[in-house]
């Protein structure tokens, strides 16, 4: 490079990229980029000398008195210099003259743009511009050049890593699904074994109750027909016959109630662990909701009031096991929120003065929605609304939940609500909406289509 140019143009430098692993959400800030700005008053010879000295430099950023004007790529500059009489016409001319001839559309993005988004924008350019470098504007207001070949290599690396992560995630999900299926079969077998002795108790408690009443009638008849001997009176006093007569019926009723409750609990457990078949089947949604409430009843601790407003619902075709998973996930989320809010209110009782009774309202009804096509009939849906009177969610938390609903989650975290959203929307063709307001509460709505 001639000595007279060394003090006129600052040499280019390559910025260092981030040393962290690149991912789907990585931005251009993490990539190395060239910073080489030249005033348009310089000649083409000066720029050609720099391009000859730095063969990896993809182009030149043009500025006028420090203000960004545009960009000339190495390829465009060489194309004009090798034309007939190109060197005679442009080598000694200012870059402003040369730029007026070689100006082409350029791709300008900010450094906060994701790498994959930039790659998509680059591929949308016309074929003659695909090899042109990309101009990146930094947060400080400076401009840098990104080599499109470097962008291609890194973006394909990211996609390769993403495919590997998806494969590993799918394998882990298959293993988890197999574990859950085996666990469901195990729980179903245990529940079946529990139901057998419960059935014995339930089936015989009625006969035992009738037998005891018959024996008490027989003893009363003996007392009426014959005078009681001292020995009988002594035995009746020893066994406290009067108390035994009254308490026997209460004990049998208590046993019957316990057996009935245990039978319902085991049946609910069987329904929750139900393994869905290939096609959906008609399901009583009210029975599903009642089963889930019975399973989580121990967590309510008598502190949370559940109010049910059931409407007249027809049987709904769905996958009962997956629907139970959705109901369990949403109700568990609501219960956790209310219990945590109750603890917080107890800790700040002096400040709040009043403690609101935690409450969950479950509403079911059939609703109609207008079809998008005027000629098509209105669609009918079954609505399940689960609302609480908690403190509500912040806007940030609501946004995180909505982002987790996306099928292309970037963080890879399958939360209970995210899985529930996919079960309702993808598996059942329904809708899962939620709305929350600070100080009022949160409301979840499940809409299932009626076929």
């Amino acid at each position: 490079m001639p000595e007279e140019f060394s003090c006129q143009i600052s040499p280019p430098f390559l910025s260092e990229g981030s040393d962290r692993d690149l991912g789907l959400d990585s931005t251009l800030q993490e990539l190395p980029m060239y910073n080489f700005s030249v005033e348009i008053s310089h000649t083409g010879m000066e720029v050609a000398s720099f391009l000859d000295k730095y063969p990896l430099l993809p182009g030149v950023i043009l500025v006028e008195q420090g203000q960004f004007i545009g960009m000339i790529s190495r390829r465009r500059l060489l194309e004009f210099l090798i034309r007939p009489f190109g060197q005679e016409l442009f080598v000694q001319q200012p870059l402003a003259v040369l730029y007026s001839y070689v100006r082409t559309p350029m791709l300008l993005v900010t450094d906060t743009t994701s790498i994959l988004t930039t790659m998509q924008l680059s591929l949308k350019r016309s074929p003659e511009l695909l090899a042109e470098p990309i101009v990146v504007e930094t947060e400080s207001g400076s401009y840098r050049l990104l080599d499109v070949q470097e962008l291609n290599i890194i973006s394909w690396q990211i996609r390769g890593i993403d495919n590997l992560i998806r494969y590993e995630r799918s394998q882990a999900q298959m293993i988890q699904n197999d574990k859950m299926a085996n666990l469901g079969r195990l729980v179903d077998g245990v529940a079946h074994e529990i139901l057998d002795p419960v059935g014995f108790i339930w089936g015989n408690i009625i006969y035992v109750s009738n037998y005891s009443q018959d024996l008490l009638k027989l003893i009363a008849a003996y007392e009426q027909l014959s005078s009681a001997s001292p020995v009988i009176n002594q035995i009746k006093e020893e066994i406290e016959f009067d108390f035994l007569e009254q308490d026997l019926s209460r004990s049998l009723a208590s046993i019957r109630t316990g057996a009935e409750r245990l039978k319902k609990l085991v049946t609910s457990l069987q329904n929750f662990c139900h393994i869905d078949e290939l096609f959906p089947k008609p399901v009583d949604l009210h029975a599903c909701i009642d089963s889930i409430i019975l399973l989580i009843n121990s967590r309510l601790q008598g502190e949370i009031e559940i109010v049910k407003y059931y409407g007249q619902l027809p049987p709904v075709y769905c996958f009962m096991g997956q629907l139970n998973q959705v109901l369990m996930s949403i109700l568990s989320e609501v219960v956790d929120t209310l219990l945590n809010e109750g603890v917080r209110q107890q800790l700040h009782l002096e400040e709040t003065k009043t403690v609101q009774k935690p409450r969950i309202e479950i509403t079911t009804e059939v609703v109609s929605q207008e079809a998008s096509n005027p000629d098509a009939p209105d669609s009918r849906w079954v609505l399940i609304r689960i609302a609480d009177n908690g403190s509500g969610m912040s806007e940030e938390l609501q946004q995180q939940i909505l982002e987790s609903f996306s099928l292309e989650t970037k963080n890879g975290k399958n939360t209970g609500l995210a899985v529930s959203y996919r079960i309702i929307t993808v598996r059942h063709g329904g809708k899962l909406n939620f709305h929350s307001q600070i100080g009022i509460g949160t409301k979840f709505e499940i809409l299932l289509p009626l076929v």
Side-chain angles (χ1 to χ4, degrees), residues 56 60 70 73-75 77 145 149 176 179 188 197 210 236 265 269 297 300 327 360 374 382 391 424 436 439-440:
L56 297 180
V60 179
S73 66
R74 170 190 291 270
R75 185 171 66 90
L77 182 60
L145 290 178
Q149 298 300 327
Q176 181 67 19
K179 287 183 178 179
D188 182 71
N210 294 333
K236 291 177 64 177
L265 181 61
L269 188 61
N297 189 53
L300 303 180
L327 295 173
I360 300 176
V382 168
S391 59
I424 295 298
S436 184
I440 296 181

Side-chain angles (χ1 to χ4, degrees), residues 36-271:
F36 182 43
S37 301
V38 178
E39 288 283 340
I40 60 174
S41 59
H42 289 285
T43 65
M45 176 62 72
E46 295 175 293
V47 176
S49 300
F50 268 89
L51 294 178
D52 182 60
K53 183 176 180 179
Y54 301 97
L56 297 180
L57 189 62
V60 179
I61 294 175
L62 301 179
V63 295
E64 184 176 11
Q65 296 180 357
Q67 298 297 321
F68 174 75
I69 298 299
M71 179 271 299
I72 298 179
S73 66
R74 170 190 291 270
R75 185 171 66 90
R76 290 294 182 185
L77 182 60
L78 293 179
E79 284 179 358
F80 270 82
L81 291 181
I82 64 177
R83 287 183 178 182
F85 306 104
Q87 296 187 14
E88 291 81 355
L89 293 175
F90 297 110
V91 167
Q92 299 301 330
Q93 295 292 331
L95 289 174
V97 177
L98 181 62
Y99 184 61
S100 64
Y101 285 93
V102 302
R103 179 181 299 179
T104 56
M106 63 179 178
L107 177 58
L108 175 62
V109 295
T110 62
D111 60 352
T112 57
T113 308
S114 70
I115 296 175
L116 295 182
T117 300
T118 306
M119 181 63 184
Q120 293 174 355
L121 294 175
S122 176
L123 294 176
K124 290 180 180 179
R125 296 184 293 180
S126 57
E128 65 274 9
L129 300 177
L130 290 178
E132 291 289 291
I134 299 170
V135 181
V136 181
E137 183 181 2
T138 65
E139 293 181 343
S140 61
S142 61
Y143 293 85
R144 298 179 180 180
L145 290 178
L146 175 62
D147 188 358
V148 70
Q149 298 300 327
E150 183 74 16
L151 176 65
N152 290 339
I153 294 173
I154 294 177
S155 62
W156 283 113
Q157 289 176 347
I158 292 176
R159 292 188 179 276
I161 295 173
D162 178 51
N163 290 335
L164 179 60
I165 293 175
R166 288 175 182 270
Y167 173 76
E168 293 177 349
R169 192 180 300 165
S170 64
Q171 293 296 313
Q173 187 65 37
M174 289 176 59
I175 295 174
Q176 181 67 19
N177 291 341
D178 185 63
K179 287 183 178 179
M180 294 304 297
N182 292 332
L183 179 61
R185 296 187 184 95
L186 178 62
V187 173
D188 182 71
V190 173
H192 181 74
E193 293 298 324
I194 295 176
L195 277 179
D196 282 344
V198 170
F200 300 154
I201 299 174
W202 178 259
N204 290 304
I205 192 65
I206 299 177
Y207 300 108
V208 173
S209 179
N210 294 333
Y211 296 159
S212 63
Q213 294 299 322
D214 293 340
L215 291 175
L216 291 177
K217 290 180 181 179
L218 179 61
I219 293 175
Y222 269 112
E223 289 182 346
Q224 292 178 359
L225 296 177
S226 62
S227 59
S229 65
V231 177
I232 295 178
N233 292 332
Q234 182 179 358
I235 294 175
K236 291 177 64 177
E237 291 179 1
E238 290 178 355
I239 64 174
E240 299 180 355
F241 179 77
D242 295 336
F243 173 77
L244 184 149
E245 185 178 9
Q246 298 176 2
D247 193 56
L248 179 60
S249 59
R250 291 196 295 265
S251 299
L252 293 174
S254 178
I255 295 174
R256 182 176 181 178
T257 301
E260 182 180 5
R261 183 177 177 183
L262 182 58
K263 183 179 180 180
K264 289 182 178 180
L265 181 61
V266 176
T267 303
S268 299
L269 188 61
Q270 276 187 317
N271 293 335

Side-chain angles (χ1 to χ4, degrees), residues 182-412:
N182 292 332
L183 179 61
R185 296 187 184 95
L186 178 62
V187 173
D188 182 71
V190 173
H192 181 74
E193 293 298 324
I194 295 176
L195 277 179
D196 282 344
V198 170
F200 300 154
I201 299 174
W202 178 259
N204 290 304
I205 192 65
I206 299 177
Y207 300 108
V208 173
S209 179
N210 294 333
Y211 296 159
S212 63
Q213 294 299 322
D214 293 340
L215 291 175
L216 291 177
K217 290 180 181 179
L218 179 61
I219 293 175
Y222 269 112
E223 289 182 346
Q224 292 178 359
L225 296 177
S226 62
S227 59
S229 65
V231 177
I232 295 178
N233 292 332
Q234 182 179 358
I235 294 175
K236 291 177 64 177
E237 291 179 1
E238 290 178 355
I239 64 174
E240 299 180 355
F241 179 77
D242 295 336
F243 173 77
L244 184 149
E245 185 178 9
Q246 298 176 2
D247 193 56
L248 179 60
S249 59
R250 291 196 295 265
S251 299
L252 293 174
S254 178
I255 295 174
R256 182 176 181 178
T257 301
E260 182 180 5
R261 183 177 177 183
L262 182 58
K263 183 179 180 180
K264 289 182 178 180
L265 181 61
V266 176
T267 303
S268 299
L269 188 61
Q270 276 187 317
N271 293 335
F272 180 73
C273 297
H274 175 78
I275 299 176
D276 293 316
E277 298 181 2
L278 184 61
F279 300 101
K281 290 187 175 182
V283 173
D284 183 358
L285 292 182
H286 293 162
C288 292
I289 297 174
D290 293 338
S291 298
I292 300 300
I293 293 176
L294 184 61
L295 290 177
I296 66 173
N297 189 53
S298 61
R299 299 187 55 209
L300 303 180
Q301 302 173 358
E303 301 178 4
I304 300 178
E305 178 184 7
I306 295 184
V307 181
K308 294 179 286 187
Y309 300 103
Y310 286 170
Q312 296 293 330
L313 299 184
V316 180
Y317 279 83
C318 62
F319 299 95
M320 185 175 68
Q322 297 183 17
L323 184 60
N324 284 332
Q325 181 181 350
V326 172
L327 295 173
M328 175 65 78
S329 179
I330 295 178
L331 284 173
S332 297
E333 185 80 17
V334 173
V335 169
D336 289 340
T337 302
L338 292 179
L339 290 179
N340 293 335
E341 178 65 18
V343 173
R344 191 191 66 81
Q345 289 184 357
Q346 291 293 337
L347 293 176
H348 300 84
L349 182 59
E350 296 182 357
E351 299 178 5
T352 58
K353 302 299 182 182
T354 58
V355 177
Q356 188 178 17
K357 176 72 174 180
R359 179 185 177 96
I360 300 176
E361 293 185 358
I362 303 176
T363 306
T364 62
E365 58 181 329
V366 177
V367 296
S368 298
Q369 293 187 358
E370 295 183 0
S372 57
N373 185 1
D375 298 330
D378 295 344
S379 58
R380 299 176 69 241
W381 303 74
V382 168
L383 170 65
I384 304 175
R385 183 184 297 112
I386 301 175
D388 64 54
N389 61 346
S391 59
M393 300 181 186
S394 63
E395 292 291 339
E396 181 181 0
L397 181 56
Q398 294 184 52
Q399 185 62 31
Q400 291 177 1
I401 295 177
L402 290 175
E403 290 177 356
S404 70
F405 285 174
S406 172
L407 295 179
E408 297 294 334
T409 52
K410 297 181 179 180
N411 54 13

